[in-house]
Tab-separated table of all heavy atoms in Angstrom:
chain	number	residue	atom	x	y	z
A	29	GLY	N	-1.408	17.649	-10.904
A	29	GLY	CA	-1.321	18.610	-11.999
A	29	GLY	C	-2.160	19.845	-11.756
A	29	GLY	O	-2.674	20.063	-10.663
A	30	THR	N	-2.323	20.648	-12.807
A	30	THR	CA	-2.982	21.941	-12.614
A	30	THR	C	-4.503	21.858	-12.660
A	30	THR	O	-5.178	22.792	-12.281
A	30	THR	CB	-2.525	22.943	-13.690
A	30	THR	OG1	-2.771	22.367	-14.976
A	30	THR	CG2	-1.054	23.265	-13.545
A	31	TYR	N	-5.044	20.759	-13.183
A	31	TYR	CA	-6.501	20.646	-13.237
A	31	TYR	C	-6.867	19.171	-13.380
A	31	TYR	O	-6.031	18.350	-13.753
A	31	TYR	CB	-7.075	21.433	-14.416
A	31	TYR	CG	-6.732	20.834	-15.749
A	31	TYR	CD1	-7.632	19.993	-16.411
A	31	TYR	CD2	-5.500	21.069	-16.341
A	31	TYR	CE1	-7.310	19.419	-17.624
A	31	TYR	CE2	-5.167	20.492	-17.562
A	31	TYR	CZ	-6.078	19.675	-18.194
A	31	TYR	OH	-5.751	19.087	-19.388
A	34	ARG	N	-4.973	15.374	-14.017
A	34	ARG	CA	-3.597	15.422	-14.517
A	34	ARG	C	-2.575	15.362	-13.395
A	34	ARG	O	-2.809	15.836	-12.290
A	34	ARG	CB	-3.357	16.702	-15.318
A	34	ARG	CG	-4.291	16.900	-16.467
A	34	ARG	CD	-3.932	15.999	-17.619
A	34	ARG	NE	-5.058	15.936	-18.550
A	34	ARG	CZ	-4.952	16.112	-19.863
A	34	ARG	NH1	-3.781	16.332	-20.420
A	34	ARG	NH2	-6.008	16.037	-20.631
A	36	SER	N	1.795	15.806	-12.942
A	36	SER	CA	2.972	16.322	-13.623
A	36	SER	C	4.228	15.801	-12.928
A	36	SER	O	4.239	15.635	-11.715
A	36	SER	CB	2.942	17.852	-13.584
A	36	SER	OG	4.047	18.364	-14.276
A	39	PHE	N	10.192	17.974	-10.066
A	39	PHE	CA	11.647	17.992	-9.883
A	39	PHE	C	11.948	18.723	-8.580
A	39	PHE	O	11.561	19.870	-8.413
A	39	PHE	CB	12.335	18.699	-11.052
A	39	PHE	CG	12.332	17.893	-12.319
A	39	PHE	CD1	11.151	17.583	-12.964
A	39	PHE	CD2	13.522	17.426	-12.863
A	39	PHE	CE1	11.142	16.833	-14.126
A	39	PHE	CE2	13.518	16.671	-14.022
A	39	PHE	CZ	12.340	16.377	-14.659
A	45	GLU	N	10.150	21.057	-0.896
A	45	GLU	CA	9.339	20.820	-2.087
A	45	GLU	C	8.765	19.400	-2.111
A	45	GLU	O	7.840	19.107	-2.858
A	45	GLU	CB	10.177	21.026	-3.356
A	45	GLU	CG	10.572	22.469	-3.591
A	45	GLU	CD	11.606	22.593	-4.701
A	45	GLU	OE1	12.638	21.890	-4.649
A	45	GLU	OE2	11.375	23.375	-5.630
A	62	TYR	N	13.567	10.951	-18.037
A	62	TYR	CA	14.314	12.176	-17.721
A	62	TYR	C	15.791	11.906	-17.442
A	62	TYR	O	16.582	12.836	-17.419
A	62	TYR	CB	13.667	12.898	-16.530
A	62	TYR	CG	12.314	13.465	-16.884
A	62	TYR	CD1	11.144	12.883	-16.425
A	62	TYR	CD2	12.208	14.565	-17.731
A	62	TYR	CE1	9.904	13.392	-16.774
A	62	TYR	CE2	10.971	15.073	-18.091
A	62	TYR	CZ	9.828	14.488	-17.615
A	62	TYR	OH	8.609	14.982	-17.969
A	65	LEU	N	17.005	12.302	-20.972
A	65	LEU	CA	16.492	13.468	-21.702
A	65	LEU	C	17.275	14.724	-21.327
A	65	LEU	O	17.220	15.724	-22.019
A	65	LEU	CB	15.015	13.661	-21.351
A	65	LEU	CG	14.145	14.498	-22.281
A	65	LEU	CD1	14.009	13.805	-23.616
A	65	LEU	CD2	12.765	14.689	-21.671
A	67	GLU	N	19.714	17.620	-20.973
A	67	GLU	CA	20.654	18.173	-21.954
A	67	GLU	C	22.067	18.210	-21.385
A	67	GLU	O	22.278	18.654	-20.266
A	67	GLU	CB	20.250	19.599	-22.350
A	67	GLU	CG	19.146	19.632	-23.366
A	67	GLU	CD	17.850	20.137	-22.762
A	67	GLU	OE1	17.775	20.217	-21.528
A	67	GLU	OE2	16.934	20.434	-23.553
A	130	ALA	N	-13.414	15.878	-17.230
A	130	ALA	CA	-12.452	16.631	-16.435
A	130	ALA	C	-12.923	18.058	-16.257
A	130	ALA	O	-13.278	18.738	-17.201
A	130	ALA	CB	-11.093	16.611	-17.105
A	214	GLN	N	-3.870	4.973	-39.676
A	214	GLN	CA	-3.223	5.444	-38.452
A	214	GLN	C	-2.039	6.349	-38.774
A	214	GLN	O	-1.905	7.439	-38.215
A	214	GLN	CB	-2.730	4.260	-37.604
A	214	GLN	CG	-3.825	3.317	-37.164
A	214	GLN	CD	-4.796	3.953	-36.190
A	214	GLN	OE1	-4.590	5.061	-35.719
A	214	GLN	NE2	-5.879	3.265	-35.900
A	219	VAL	N	1.074	13.621	-36.886
A	219	VAL	CA	1.505	14.988	-37.175
A	219	VAL	C	3.014	15.155	-36.984
A	219	VAL	O	3.537	16.258	-37.100
A	219	VAL	CB	0.771	16.056	-36.330
A	219	VAL	CG1	-0.674	16.168	-36.757
A	219	VAL	CG2	0.883	15.773	-34.857
A	220	ARG	N	3.676	14.064	-36.661
A	220	ARG	CA	5.134	14.073	-36.519
A	220	ARG	C	5.614	15.076	-35.467
A	220	ARG	O	6.586	15.801	-35.675
A	220	ARG	CB	5.785	14.379	-37.870
A	220	ARG	CG	5.428	13.355	-38.952
A	220	ARG	CD	6.364	12.177	-38.949
A	220	ARG	NE	7.667	12.548	-39.442
A	220	ARG	CZ	7.967	12.626	-40.733
A	220	ARG	NH1	7.064	12.334	-41.630
A	220	ARG	NH2	9.154	12.952	-41.106
A	221	CYS	N	4.915	15.099	-34.330
A	221	CYS	CA	5.348	15.990	-33.259
A	221	CYS	C	6.477	15.339	-32.468
A	221	CYS	O	7.121	15.991	-31.660
A	221	CYS	CB	4.185	16.311	-32.332
A	221	CYS	SG	3.572	14.886	-31.414
A	223	SER	N	6.349	13.337	-30.032
A	223	SER	CA	6.220	13.136	-28.582
A	223	SER	C	6.471	11.677	-28.231
A	223	SER	O	7.006	11.391	-27.177
A	223	SER	CB	4.871	13.600	-28.018
A	223	SER	OG	3.894	13.636	-28.966
A	226	ASN	N	10.196	11.382	-27.947
A	226	ASN	CA	10.786	12.115	-26.825
A	226	ASN	C	10.406	11.547	-25.472
A	226	ASN	O	11.187	11.597	-24.536
A	226	ASN	CB	10.384	13.584	-26.901
A	226	ASN	CG	11.088	14.287	-28.027
A	226	ASN	OD1	11.585	13.650	-28.955
A	226	ASN	ND2	11.145	15.595	-27.966
A	234	GLU	N	21.955	10.557	-29.026
A	234	GLU	CA	22.295	11.981	-29.037
A	234	GLU	C	21.965	12.579	-30.395
A	234	GLU	O	21.601	13.736	-30.512
A	234	GLU	CB	23.787	12.157	-28.751
A	234	GLU	CG	24.092	11.768	-27.332
A	234	GLU	CD	25.046	12.734	-26.673
A	234	GLU	OE1	25.632	13.579	-27.376
A	234	GLU	OE2	25.194	12.619	-25.449
A	239	ASP	N	16.432	13.433	-36.913
A	239	ASP	CA	16.870	14.826	-36.946
A	239	ASP	C	17.967	15.034	-37.970
A	239	ASP	O	18.379	16.146	-38.239
A	239	ASP	CB	17.425	15.237	-35.566
A	239	ASP	CG	16.344	15.295	-34.520
A	239	ASP	OD1	15.173	15.420	-34.909
A	239	ASP	OD2	16.670	15.200	-33.327
A	247	ASN	N	12.440	11.952	-44.710
A	247	ASN	CA	12.185	13.341	-45.078
A	247	ASN	C	11.278	14.000	-44.054
A	247	ASN	O	10.491	13.337	-43.389
A	247	ASN	CB	11.518	13.426	-46.447
A	247	ASN	CG	12.510	13.237	-47.577
A	247	ASN	OD1	13.720	13.377	-47.395
A	247	ASN	ND2	12.001	12.921	-48.753
A	249	SER	N	8.810	15.955	-44.709
A	249	SER	CA	7.444	16.176	-45.155
A	249	SER	C	6.506	15.142	-44.556
A	249	SER	O	6.905	14.014	-44.262
A	249	SER	CB	7.362	16.152	-46.675
A	249	SER	OG	7.901	14.967	-47.167
A	250	ASN	N	5.271	15.570	-44.374
A	250	ASN	CA	4.285	14.698	-43.762
A	250	ASN	C	3.443	14.066	-44.865
A	250	ASN	O	2.603	14.712	-45.468
A	250	ASN	CB	3.405	15.533	-42.817
A	250	ASN	CG	2.395	14.688	-42.081
A	250	ASN	OD1	1.738	13.832	-42.674
A	250	ASN	ND2	2.267	14.904	-40.796
A	278	ARG	N	0.297	6.775	-24.784
A	278	ARG	CA	-0.407	7.707	-23.906
A	278	ARG	C	-0.249	9.147	-24.378
A	278	ARG	O	-1.202	9.915	-24.365
A	278	ARG	CB	0.126	7.591	-22.468
A	278	ARG	CG	-0.527	8.569	-21.496
A	278	ARG	CD	0.077	8.490	-20.092
A	278	ARG	NE	1.418	9.046	-20.006
A	278	ARG	CZ	1.683	10.344	-19.819
A	278	ARG	NH1	0.705	11.202	-19.709
A	278	ARG	NH2	2.922	10.770	-19.739
A	279	VAL	N	0.953	9.514	-24.814
A	279	VAL	CA	1.187	10.922	-25.123
A	279	VAL	C	0.739	11.307	-26.532
A	279	VAL	O	0.626	12.484	-26.832
A	279	VAL	CB	2.673	11.310	-24.962
A	279	VAL	CG1	3.148	11.002	-23.568
A	279	VAL	CG2	3.547	10.643	-26.003
A	283	ASN	N	-3.708	9.937	-30.970
A	283	ASN	CA	-4.107	8.596	-30.537
A	283	ASN	C	-3.792	7.468	-31.499
A	283	ASN	O	-4.641	6.613	-31.786
A	283	ASN	CB	-5.602	8.578	-30.204
A	283	ASN	CG	-5.915	9.513	-29.068
A	283	ASN	OD1	-5.195	9.531	-28.077
A	283	ASN	ND2	-6.942	10.314	-29.219
B	30	GLU	N	-9.759	8.732	-37.255
B	30	GLU	CA	-9.417	7.599	-36.366
B	30	GLU	C	-9.334	7.990	-34.881
B	30	GLU	O	-10.228	7.677	-34.129
B	30	GLU	CB	-8.076	7.004	-36.800
B	30	GLU	CG	-8.171	6.075	-38.015
B	30	GLU	CD	-8.865	4.758	-37.717
B	30	GLU	OE1	-8.766	4.301	-36.568
B	30	GLU	OE2	-9.489	4.194	-38.627
B	31	GLY	N	-8.253	8.680	-34.525
B	31	GLY	CA	-8.115	8.982	-33.104
B	31	GLY	C	-8.118	10.467	-32.826
B	31	GLY	O	-7.840	10.908	-31.727
B	62	GLN	N	0.943	21.225	-43.355
B	62	GLN	CA	2.171	20.750	-42.714
B	62	GLN	C	3.295	20.596	-43.726
B	62	GLN	O	4.452	20.835	-43.426
B	62	GLN	CB	1.914	19.422	-41.991
B	62	GLN	CG	3.151	18.923	-41.268
B	62	GLN	CD	2.849	18.032	-40.095
B	62	GLN	OE1	1.745	17.523	-39.950
B	62	GLN	NE2	3.821	17.830	-39.228
B	63	THR	N	2.945	20.172	-44.924
B	63	THR	CA	3.948	20.076	-45.985
B	63	THR	C	3.406	20.830	-47.185
B	63	THR	O	2.304	20.558	-47.640
B	63	THR	CB	4.163	18.616	-46.399
B	63	THR	OG1	4.413	17.857	-45.228
B	63	THR	CG2	5.330	18.496	-47.349
B	133	THR	N	-12.959	22.749	-20.486
B	133	THR	CA	-12.326	23.177	-19.242
B	133	THR	C	-11.178	24.150	-19.476
B	133	THR	O	-11.012	25.114	-18.751
B	133	THR	CB	-11.774	21.935	-18.515
B	133	THR	OG1	-12.826	20.996	-18.400
B	133	THR	CG2	-11.256	22.300	-17.146
B	134	ASN	N	-10.373	23.878	-20.489
B	134	ASN	CA	-9.169	24.679	-20.660
B	134	ASN	C	-9.306	25.809	-21.664
B	134	ASN	O	-8.316	26.354	-22.119
B	134	ASN	CB	-8.005	23.775	-21.040
B	134	ASN	CG	-7.631	22.868	-19.898
B	134	ASN	OD1	-7.603	23.303	-18.757
B	134	ASN	ND2	-7.379	21.610	-20.191
B	227	LYS	N	11.984	26.049	-13.754
B	227	LYS	CA	10.957	25.278	-13.055
B	227	LYS	C	9.881	24.753	-14.009
B	227	LYS	O	9.522	23.581	-13.976
B	227	LYS	CB	10.271	26.166	-11.988
B	227	LYS	CG	10.955	26.131	-10.651
B	227	LYS	CD	10.447	24.929	-9.828
B	227	LYS	CE	11.263	24.734	-8.573
B	227	LYS	NZ	12.030	23.495	-8.574
B	230	ASP	N	11.240	22.016	-16.550
B	230	ASP	CA	11.827	20.757	-16.069
B	230	ASP	C	11.134	19.518	-16.627
B	230	ASP	O	11.796	18.613	-17.118
B	230	ASP	CB	11.824	20.721	-14.536
B	230	ASP	CG	13.125	21.249	-13.942
B	230	ASP	OD1	14.130	21.259	-14.676
B	230	ASP	OD2	13.133	21.649	-12.766
B	231	PRO	N	9.795	19.449	-16.549
B	231	PRO	CA	9.162	18.218	-17.058
B	231	PRO	C	9.043	18.169	-18.578
B	231	PRO	O	8.664	17.139	-19.115
B	231	PRO	CB	7.751	18.264	-16.450
B	231	PRO	CG	7.643	19.509	-15.677
B	231	PRO	CD	8.812	20.345	-15.945
B	233	LEU	N	9.225	17.583	-22.392
B	233	LEU	CA	9.860	16.490	-23.145
B	233	LEU	C	10.534	17.022	-24.407
B	233	LEU	O	11.274	16.305	-25.070
B	233	LEU	CB	8.813	15.459	-23.560
B	233	LEU	CG	8.048	14.760	-22.456
B	233	LEU	CD1	6.849	14.040	-23.034
B	233	LEU	CD2	8.952	13.779	-21.732
B	234	GLY	N	10.221	18.253	-24.770
B	234	GLY	CA	10.786	18.802	-25.996
B	234	GLY	C	10.113	18.256	-27.250
B	234	GLY	O	10.724	18.205	-28.307
B	235	CYS	N	8.858	17.855	-27.129
B	235	CYS	CA	8.156	17.387	-28.322
B	235	CYS	C	7.422	18.559	-28.959
B	235	CYS	O	7.413	19.661	-28.434
B	235	CYS	CB	7.179	16.261	-27.993
B	235	CYS	SG	5.668	16.770	-27.160
B	236	GLY	N	6.799	18.322	-30.079
B	236	GLY	CA	6.167	19.422	-30.795
B	236	GLY	C	4.660	19.443	-30.674
B	236	GLY	O	3.983	20.104	-31.454
B	240	PHE	N	2.806	22.253	-32.802
B	240	PHE	CA	2.191	21.768	-34.035
B	240	PHE	C	0.675	21.905	-33.974
B	240	PHE	O	0.023	22.138	-34.975
B	240	PHE	CB	2.553	20.298	-34.278
B	240	PHE	CG	3.888	20.115	-34.941
B	240	PHE	CD1	4.766	21.175	-35.075
B	240	PHE	CD2	4.267	18.890	-35.459
B	240	PHE	CE1	5.995	21.024	-35.687
B	240	PHE	CE2	5.491	18.722	-36.083
B	240	PHE	CZ	6.362	19.777	-36.187
B	253	GLU	N	13.655	18.107	-51.295
B	253	GLU	CA	13.490	16.657	-51.321
B	253	GLU	C	13.680	16.197	-52.750
B	253	GLU	O	12.991	16.662	-53.658
B	253	GLU	CB	12.108	16.286	-50.788
B	253	GLU	CG	11.959	16.698	-49.330
B	253	GLU	CD	10.693	16.200	-48.674
B	253	GLU	OE1	9.794	15.727	-49.376
B	253	GLU	OE2	10.631	16.278	-47.437
B	260	ARG	N	11.807	18.689	-55.286
B	260	ARG	CA	10.892	19.765	-54.941
B	260	ARG	C	11.458	20.498	-53.742
B	260	ARG	O	12.174	19.924	-52.918
B	260	ARG	CB	9.509	19.222	-54.598
B	260	ARG	CG	9.481	18.390	-53.347
B	260	ARG	CD	8.082	18.321	-52.804
B	260	ARG	NE	7.989	17.357	-51.717
B	260	ARG	CZ	6.907	17.181	-50.992
B	260	ARG	NH1	5.840	17.865	-51.256
B	260	ARG	NH2	6.886	16.312	-50.004
B	271	LYS	N	15.203	20.671	-30.569
B	271	LYS	CA	16.591	21.072	-30.387
B	271	LYS	C	17.186	21.598	-31.689
B	271	LYS	O	17.915	22.583	-31.710
B	271	LYS	CB	17.390	19.854	-29.896
B	271	LYS	CG	18.858	20.109	-29.684
B	271	LYS	CD	19.560	18.876	-29.116
B	271	LYS	CE	19.708	17.816	-30.182
B	271	LYS	NZ	20.267	16.550	-29.671
B	272	GLU	N	16.843	20.952	-32.797
B	272	GLU	CA	17.483	21.320	-34.066
B	272	GLU	C	16.964	22.638	-34.639
B	272	GLU	O	17.523	23.153	-35.592
B	272	GLU	CB	17.308	20.196	-35.095
B	272	GLU	CG	15.882	19.797	-35.292
B	272	GLU	CD	15.666	18.935	-36.545
B	272	GLU	OE1	16.577	18.783	-37.356
B	272	GLU	OE2	14.556	18.433	-36.698
B	285	SER	N	18.906	24.488	-24.142
B	285	SER	CA	18.119	23.548	-23.338
B	285	SER	C	16.646	23.907	-23.392
B	285	SER	O	16.259	24.940	-23.916
B	285	SER	CB	18.626	23.529	-21.891
B	285	SER	OG	18.276	24.731	-21.261
B	286	ARG	N	15.845	23.041	-22.798
B	286	ARG	CA	14.402	23.245	-22.878
B	286	ARG	C	13.965	24.484	-22.110
B	286	ARG	O	12.912	25.032	-22.354
B	286	ARG	CB	13.680	21.987	-22.391
B	286	ARG	CG	13.835	20.833	-23.366
B	286	ARG	CD	13.036	19.638	-22.941
B	286	ARG	NE	13.555	19.081	-21.710
B	286	ARG	CZ	14.588	18.266	-21.635
B	286	ARG	NH1	15.202	17.871	-22.725
B	286	ARG	NH2	15.015	17.822	-20.483
B	318	ASN	N	-4.514	20.880	-23.139
B	318	ASN	CA	-5.159	19.565	-23.245
B	318	ASN	C	-4.196	18.492	-23.704
B	318	ASN	O	-4.283	17.343	-23.287
B	318	ASN	CB	-6.292	19.614	-24.278
B	318	ASN	CG	-7.468	20.418	-23.770
B	318	ASN	OD1	-7.701	20.478	-22.576
B	318	ASN	ND2	-8.189	21.038	-24.675
B	321	PRO	N	1.692	16.163	-22.787
B	321	PRO	CA	1.788	14.883	-22.085
B	321	PRO	C	2.222	15.011	-20.636
B	321	PRO	O	2.068	14.070	-19.865
B	321	PRO	CB	2.856	14.113	-22.862
B	321	PRO	CG	3.179	14.909	-24.076
B	321	PRO	CD	2.692	16.302	-23.849
B	322	VAL	N	2.804	16.133	-20.266
B	322	VAL	CA	3.324	16.254	-18.904
B	322	VAL	C	2.697	17.422	-18.151
B	322	VAL	O	3.260	17.915	-17.183
B	322	VAL	CB	4.864	16.383	-18.902
B	322	VAL	CG1	5.495	15.088	-19.347
B	322	VAL	CG2	5.327	17.530	-19.770
B	323	ASN	N	1.518	17.845	-18.616
B	323	ASN	CA	0.759	18.880	-17.928
B	323	ASN	C	1.531	20.194	-17.761
B	323	ASN	O	1.587	20.780	-16.690
B	323	ASN	CB	0.277	18.341	-16.563
B	323	ASN	CG	-0.647	19.296	-15.848
B	323	ASN	OD1	-0.390	19.680	-14.722
B	323	ASN	ND2	-1.703	19.700	-16.498
B	325	ASP	N	1.160	23.784	-18.370
B	325	ASP	CA	-0.096	24.494	-18.506
B	325	ASP	C	0.208	25.973	-18.697
B	325	ASP	O	0.729	26.631	-17.806
B	325	ASP	CB	-0.885	24.250	-17.202
B	325	ASP	CG	-2.281	24.807	-17.251
B	325	ASP	OD1	-2.459	25.840	-17.902
B	325	ASP	OD2	-3.170	24.219	-16.621
Side-chain angles (χ1 to χ4, degrees):
Chain A
T30 55
Y31 69 97
R34 303 284 164 131
S36 182
F39 287 65
E45 291 169 308
Y62 292 106
L65 199 66
E67 280 110 347
Q214 300 293 352
V219 290
R220 300 273 289 278
C221 66
S223 23
N226 288 19
E234 292 222 349
D239 292 339
N247 282 341
S249 55
N250 183 315
R278 178 183 72 85
V279 303
N283 298 316
Chain B
E30 281 290 330
Q62 182 154 16
T63 309
T133 307
N134 292 319
K227 271 275 171 246
D230 267 339
L233 299 166
C235 75
F240 277 11
E253 297 188 348
R260 66 159 171 174
K271 179 177 73 185
E272 54 166 351
S285 71
R286 290 185 294 278
N318 289 331
V322 292
N323 186 236
D325 186 327

